[in-house]
Amino acid sequence: MKPSITLAAALLAALFFAACDDAGDSSSDPADATLIQPEPDAAPEPEPEPEPQPEPEPEPEPEPEPEPEPEPEPEPEPEPEYQDPDAAVGQCGEMADDKSVNGWLYVDADASDRSSYAAAFGMADAAYEGDPLRLVGPDGEIEPRRCDDGSYLFPDLVEGTYIAVAEPADGEVCSRRNCPGRFARAVVSGEAKVVTFGDSIAVIGSDNQFPGRVAELFAPLADVEDINVAIPGTTSETWLPGGRPFQRDLMPHLADADLIVVTLGGNDVLGYINSFGGIPPDIPAAIEGARDVVRQVVANFEQILGAIREVNADADIAYILYADYTQATGDPIWGLVGAFLGRETLQGVLELARDSMPEDPNLVLVDMFGAAEGLPLHELLADQLHFNEEGHTFYAEEVFSTLGGVLIGPNPLFEGSTPLGLRRSYGFRAQVEADAGAE
């Protein structure tokens, strides 16, 4: 059978080649080799498949190193809870009425105060132990009652105009920026000189602008010379030292000024907004740009302040912070701005300005942003930017109160309020701490 022949031939071939390997004298006749070749159609027996080798056991994976526990993120500092500036406070406040002046005297240990409206006698603070405060009015000088919790009281005041004089000790500053020095002393002496410069807020909207009304409110105590050199349309850059407005309009009045009032920054921001020619294509970038403008305004103001100090080392400088115009909800433009951007946008810009004020011991901050909080501002505007008769009275009363003014009885101003300035607190901190915080 063919398979048997094939198998035999294969066995013979295997033996032949094995013999050739074992003995070199085997026959070399080709015929012999031919006779034992397998038939052409014979297939060699397949080699047995090798036994499968066992797969090596996989090496055990190393145990992952335990990830370090993430450090807990620091808790954000709580936002300060500012106190109502119109509320009676403390143990002494229990006896306060509409014929008494009351507030706190304290150490601003956490340096958190920014203005009369952005301040608080907080948990970290302590009652002030010195005697920094007196009240001067129709009956002369009055000392306050003091209570153990840091509150004070000037009770049973007669009708008239007063000025509260708060004097920090040597090496201290007034943290709420509401302690005029030279101006208060000048009012007590009976004569004071006030110079106002800046933009149109001080010169448009009424024939009797707010600087003149401030002089009118202090008139029962002193003859106040009012010099107003503000120029509509000017920016903080316009008033930089060396420029014509500073040299020509302001410089001649600086040397003997007791108080210098500043209204600057509004036109800087308006110029930036107008540069877009419409709605900015990138709102977040535009908002950050507005914050940069505010930073530049503060930097320009610092230059101006430095130049003033070269001429007048101790005059009080009262910087007026703008009100939040998005509160003018009855005005179509400001109502749209507030609805489109959100009130918090402009508030954030104003808070940045308030937080960035230079650390000058004679700097007073008139915080119209805080004073106008919650008011329908459109009722105080003559147009979209400038204040009407009521608005200029509102401005004048806030400047008067921030400078220490107290009024009990009739108000001489148009649509004036009364009483004024009854609730006022004072925080004090070391000047070196204030300067370190500004670096």
Side-chain angles (χ1 to χ4, degrees):
M1 293 178 62
K2 189 173 184 178
S4 301
I5 295 172
T6 303
L7 178 59
L11 289 172
L12 289 171
L15 290 172
F16 173 79
F17 288 112
C20 290
D21 289 339
D22 293 337
D25 57 350
S26 300
S27 175
S28 59
D29 189 349
D32 296 337
T34 302
L35 291 174
I36 62 173
Q37 292 300 318
E39 296 180 9
D41 58 347
E45 184 177 348
E47 295 183 8
E49 295 183 2
E51 295 182 5
Q53 298 294 324
E55 295 184 4
E57 296 183 4
E59 295 182 5
E61 295 183 4
E63 295 185 5
E65 296 183 4
E67 295 184 3
E69 294 185 5
E71 296 183 4
E73 295 184 3
E75 295 184 3
E77 295 184 5
E79 292 288 330
E81 295 184 5
Y82 297 137
Q83 293 161 343
D84 182 357
D86 297 322
V89 298
Q91 297 167 353
C92 287
E94 296 174 3
M95 300 173 280
D97 56 22
D98 60 359
K99 288 184 171 55
S100 59
V101 175
N102 161 250
W104 296 113
L105 295 172
Y106 63 96
V107 178
D108 179 25
D110 59 0
S112 61
D113 294 351
R114 296 294 179 266
S115 76
S116 295
Y117 293 91
F121 182 10
M123 295 296 293
D125 303 332
Y128 192 80
E129 296 182 356
D131 296 309
L133 186 64
R134 57 198 172 102
L135 191 67
V136 180
D139 295 331
E141 186 174 310
I142 308 170
E143 299 293 331
R145 292 183 188 175
R146 300 287 294 276
C147 293
D148 293 340
D149 63 351
S151 59
Y152 74 87
L153 182 73
F154 292 102
D156 305 322
L157 300 175
V158 299
E159 284 192 2
T161 303
Y162 301 78
I163 186 168
V165 183
E167 297 175 311
D170 291 342
E172 293 180 340
V173 294
C174 183
S175 61
R176 292 186 178 218
R177 300 189 176 105
N178 61 340
C179 301
R182 178 168 168 170
F183 174 74
R185 295 189 296 272
V187 169
V188 171
S189 73
E191 291 185 357
K193 178 179 177 179
V194 179
V195 179
T196 301
F197 77 95
D199 54 32
S200 57
I201 293 295
V203 291
I204 291 180
S206 170
D207 293 333
N208 181 18
Q209 297 94 12
F210 77 83
R213 300 183 192 215
V214 173
E216 192 174 347
L217 285 169
F218 278 113
L221 293 176
D223 179 12
V224 178
E225 182 182 4
D226 168 37
I227 299 175
N228 187 348
V229 298
I231 303 173
T234 54
T235 66
S236 62
E237 185 177 0
T238 308
W239 288 93
L240 286 174
R244 186 175 180 183
F246 187 94
Q247 303 301 137
R248 179 197 65 186
D249 300 305
L250 183 58
M251 181 67 81
H253 306 291
L254 289 179
D256 60 345
D258 300 303
L259 172 68
I260 301 164
V261 179
V262 187
T263 64
L264 279 177
N267 288 325
D268 299 67
V269 176
L270 285 176
Y272 170 75
I273 293 172
N274 291 337
S275 69
F276 291 101
I279 297 175
D282 186 339
I283 297 297
I287 292 171
E288 186 56 35
R291 295 171 68 86
D292 289 338
V293 171
V294 169
R295 295 184 184 100
Q296 186 60 54
V297 169
V298 174
N300 291 343
F301 175 51
E302 287 184 299
Q303 288 191 54
I304 296 167
L305 181 60
I308 291 173
R309 288 292 174 238
E310 293 178 2
V311 180
N312 189 323
D314 65 347
D316 294 307
I317 313 278
Y319 185 93
I320 300 182
L321 182 64
Y322 286 81
D324 175 7
Y325 279 85
T326 62
Q327 291 183 184
T329 54
D331 178 86
I333 298 298
W334 287 114
L336 180 62
V337 170
F340 183 71
L341 294 179
R343 280 199 57 209
E344 65 278 3
T345 299
L346 184 56
Q347 287 176 337
V349 172
L350 291 168
E351 287 170 357
L352 173 63
R354 184 166 62 188
D355 292 346
S356 304
M357 286 291 105
E359 290 289 349
D360 184 294
N362 298 107
L363 177 65
V364 176
L365 182 59
V366 183
D367 188 356
M368 299 305 299
F369 170 43
E373 176 66 30
L375 296 181
L377 202 66
H378 52 274
E379 296 180 2
L380 302 177
L381 295 178
D383 53 35
Q384 289 174 345
L385 296 174
H386 305 102
F387 287 83
N388 57 22
E389 294 289 340
E390 293 89 340
H392 275 276
T393 291
F394 175 58
Y395 250 69
E397 290 175 347
E398 191 58 35
V399 174
F400 172 77
S401 295
T402 304
L403 293 172
V406 175
L407 175 66
I408 297 176
N411 188 325
L413 303 184
F414 174 78
E415 297 291 337
S417 303
T418 190
L420 295 173
L422 297 186
R423 306 292 171 254
R424 52 181 62 252
S425 294
Y426 299 91
F428 303 95
R429 54 188 166 105
Q431 187 172 350
V432 291
E433 294 176 3
D435 293 340
E439 294 177 355

